[in-house]
Amino acid sequence: MKYIETFREGMHVSDVYLCKTKQIALTKNGKEYGSVTLQDKTGTLDAKVWDLSNGIGHFEAMDYIYLQGQVTSFQGALQLNVSRIRKCQEGEYDPKDYMPVSKKDIDTMYQELLGIIKTV
């Protein structure tokens, strides 16, 4: 899996992410497009779906979605221009890859907690 924190401009992405938010918006010219916030355990990223016939109607916020697209930079921030998108089926993803986690070692933190509890 390519984690969001590793994305760089120009990268091609073809993977599963959690759709944190989803909305249909209008361009300055009045054309509809999809705006999606993607999430994995390393962060979030804004994604744009310019062609609404590519499956954006088949999923909702908090669904896991498989997508293909190109990482671009817009107004100084990275975003993903999506070319294909679909809702994932159960078994295509592991939920632990999509929730924020500590960068610290869990076992070490647990041992520290046990030490604090024993001294109280």
Side-chain angles (χ1 to χ4, degrees):
M1 173 175 189
K2 291 180 184 174
Y3 290 109
I4 290 171
E5 73 178 1
T6 67
F7 286 7
R8 301 294 177 260
E9 188 173 2
M11 281 179 70
H12 179 75
V13 175
S14 180
D15 224 322
V16 176
Y17 298 92
L18 177 66
C19 172
K20 189 171 181 179
T21 65
K22 171 192 159 186
Q23 60 184 178
I24 303 301
L26 293 175
T27 65
K28 291 179 185 176
N29 298 330
K31 184 179 178 192
E32 288 188 327
Y33 69 96
S35 182
V36 178
T37 303
L38 306 175
Q39 178 177 314
D40 68 18
K41 69 181 182 180
T42 67
T44 61
L45 182 73
D46 189 37
K48 302 296 184 216
V49 183
W50 300 108
D51 181 359
L52 296 184
S53 67
N54 282 342
I56 194 164
H58 300 123
F59 67 90
E60 298 301 326
M62 302 312 291
D63 283 340
Y64 293 93
I65 54 175
Y66 172 83
L67 53 81
Q68 294 178 348
Q70 191 80 21
V71 179
T72 62
S73 180
F74 179 70
Q75 295 182 343
L78 293 181
Q79 72 176 24
L80 189 68
N81 285 334
V82 178
S83 57
R84 297 186 67 177
I85 193 167
R86 69 170 172 82
K87 182 178 178 178
C88 289
Q89 301 299 314
E90 205 167 310
E92 289 186 85
Y93 56 88
D94 186 347
K96 72 177 182 183
D97 287 331
Y98 303 94
M99 298 300 142
V101 296
S102 173
K103 294 187 185 291
K104 296 182 179 182
D105 181 67
I106 303 297
D107 291 330
T108 302
M109 290 191 305
Y110 181 69
Q111 293 304 318
E112 287 176 13
L113 179 61
L114 288 177
I116 292 168
I117 292 170
K118 288 179 184 176
T119 62
V120 173

